[in-house]
Every structure is written in structure tokens, then in C-alpha cells.
Amino acid sequence: MSADFPASTMIPTRDGICHSFTFKPTGPGPWPAVLLYMDAFAIRPAMMELGQRMADLGCCVLIPDLFYRSGPYDAMNPHDIFATPNGFMAIKEKFMVHASMANILSDTTAFLDFLAHDTDVRSGPVGTVGYCMGARFALAAAGTWPDRIGVCAAFHGSNLATDDVDSPHHLAAKMKARAFIAGATDDSGFPDAMKDRLAATLRGAGVDHVVETWPARHGWTFHDTPVYDEACFEHHLDVLAELFHDVLGA
């Protein structure tokens, strides 16, 4: 990892040691906890900035490196990756292949245990937030630990309601969390049919939810990508502030 990053915390998992980063508000704690699942461009300065912005909403935010199974890597530059032929495919083949649903849910056991033992974390419900590939994990965690996850949010996620056995919408019946899903209008991985399927499944399961699409392109949250949308980014923080206040007591 880059020397510009804050010191990482080593969290032991079933498959190794996961470098993770914690961001906390200023002032006295303890605070409610939020587990942030990264996007496919992984741990980098823009992700760190988001972690602090989220912590400033009044929560202790944990960002684990979901690509730790692939070994050390330099911070990625999304602009360079988009400009390189097959650049994103290289990420999928080297990193994302190991960040399967089964692996990340296994890791989440360790992440939740870490938060439970952090003296700066208040007892009570935990929030999960995911971006891009992380959106699936945020929703799945809520369905896997219904008594621990009080709110889950997913932004510009793809493949959230498919026929795959590990599609997170299959866990809707187990969810107790309040769910907020904001997809992108320009996203082939989250078409209107999938949006409707996800909403119908959550509604049928009695989940308190919002499923909507925002006028942006897939990946609009991070300023280091060519699809960044500042208005949508700030709006998503406003949404999170309300969710964290209402559900977590931030």
C-alpha cells in the first residue's frame, strides 16, 4: 500500500490477514459502526477520502481491503485503467476472481468481530455500505447477519437481483435492516427489469427499503474516475447522514 495511506489494521481472516483502515469522527466516542465495502478500484486516496467524509457523519468506518488474497498492489488509477485496452479485465482476472461472495461473507465475520471489540464502537446495530462490486456484499451482509446489521446502502451496484445462487436479493426474507439502493441510469448491470425485481423482492419480504436510479453513470461516486458526478456524490452523503441518524443514532 502507498505510504500516503493511514496506518492499516491487520484483521485475521480464515484465508490470511486483511489490511483494513479505520476512520473516526473528531471528539469523544464511542460511535456507531459502519462497514464500507470498496469498489473494484480498491484502496486508493479517493476511497480514503470517502471513508473520512463518511466518518464525519458521526460513525466509526471500517474499510477492509477485499483484494488482500491477491497480494500487495499499488494504488490503482481508474483513469489509466479505463484508458488501457482490457484494463478492467485485468482487474477482474487478478483481483475480483478472489473476491467472491462466499469469500467476502467469510471475511465479514472477522470484520464484525473486529468492530465488536473496538472500544471506540458503540454497541448496537451496524451499517453496511457498498459501492460497485461492494454493493452486493453490503446487501448480502444484511441478509446474513439480520440481528447485527441495522441499515444497508448500495450505490451504483450491478447484478443485485439475478438468477445466480449468490445473488443478494435471495436473502431478502432474512433481512431486518432498512435498505437503500441507488443505481445509475446509465448502467447495463442494473437495468430497469432488475431494479423492479429487486424492489419487488424486498417489498414482498417486508423490508423497509428504497430502490431508485439516479441520473448518472456507473461508478459516479469517486472523483478519480471519468464518470464522477459531484451532485450525486454529495446527495448520497446526505442520504447516508439521514440513514445513520435515524437507524444508528449517529
Side-chain angles (χ1 to χ4, degrees):
M1 293 298 173
S2 168
D4 296 331
F5 293 171
S8 62
T9 297
M10 309 295 196
I11 299 181
T13 73
R14 178 194 66 188
D15 295 330
I17 301 296
C18 178
H19 290 260
S20 304
F21 301 85
T22 304
F23 298 84
K24 299 178 180 180
T26 57
W31 306 279
V34 171
L35 175 55
L36 191 162
Y37 293 98
M38 67 190 201
D39 68 351
F41 298 121
I43 305 298
R44 61 196 193 279
M47 182 64 68
M48 299 296 177
E49 293 171 24
L50 174 61
Q52 189 57 57
R53 288 291 301 272
M54 199 176 294
D56 291 342
L57 301 179
C59 294
C60 178
V61 179
L62 178 68
I63 307 180
D65 178 12
L66 304 183
F67 290 162
Y68 72 93
R69 289 177 176 85
S70 299
Y73 60 91
D74 294 329
M76 300 182 193
N77 184 325
H79 281 276
D80 292 343
I81 292 169
F82 277 117
T84 302
N86 300 318
F88 189 71
M89 184 58 66
I91 292 177
K92 293 180 66 175
E93 292 176 349
K94 181 177 180 180
F95 298 104
M96 294 177 67
V97 66
H98 301 297
S100 66
M101 181 66 77
N103 281 346
I104 302 307
L105 289 182
S106 173
D107 293 342
T108 298
T109 300
F111 304 153
L112 292 174
D113 287 348
F114 171 82
L115 290 171
H117 290 89
D118 188 333
T119 57
D120 285 331
V121 170
R122 181 193 308 166
S123 61
V126 173
T128 58
V129 184
Y131 300 85
C132 184
M133 73 169 194
R136 301 178 77 245
F137 306 139
L139 295 178
T144 305
W145 290 274
D147 294 327
R148 299 184 71 176
I149 309 301
V151 61
C152 60
F155 296 96
H156 51 78
S158 299
N159 303 317
L160 301 182
T162 70
D163 293 333
D164 293 342
V165 295
D166 63 357
S167 178
H169 81 293
H170 292 313
L171 296 169
K174 298 180 180 180
M175 290 184 187
K176 297 179 182 178
R178 182 173 168 184
F180 187 95
I181 298 94
T185 52
D186 184 2
D187 188 348
S188 60
F190 193 65
D192 288 342
M194 184 179 296
K195 171 188 171 184
D196 294 342
R197 183 182 190 183
L198 177 60
T201 302
L202 294 172
R203 183 168 58 251
V207 176
D208 182 0
H209 71 282
V210 171
V211 179
E212 57 191 23
T213 48
W214 293 1
R217 298 172 64 187
H218 176 82
W220 44 259
T221 308
F222 297 97
H223 66 74
D224 61 351
T225 72
V227 296
Y228 175 62
D229 187 300
E230 183 178 7
C232 286
F233 171 76
E234 294 296 337
H235 180 44
H236 111 283
L237 287 179
D238 291 339
V239 168
L240 289 177
E242 181 177 351
L243 290 172
F244 295 166
H245 175 272
D246 292 350
V247 182
L248 305 181

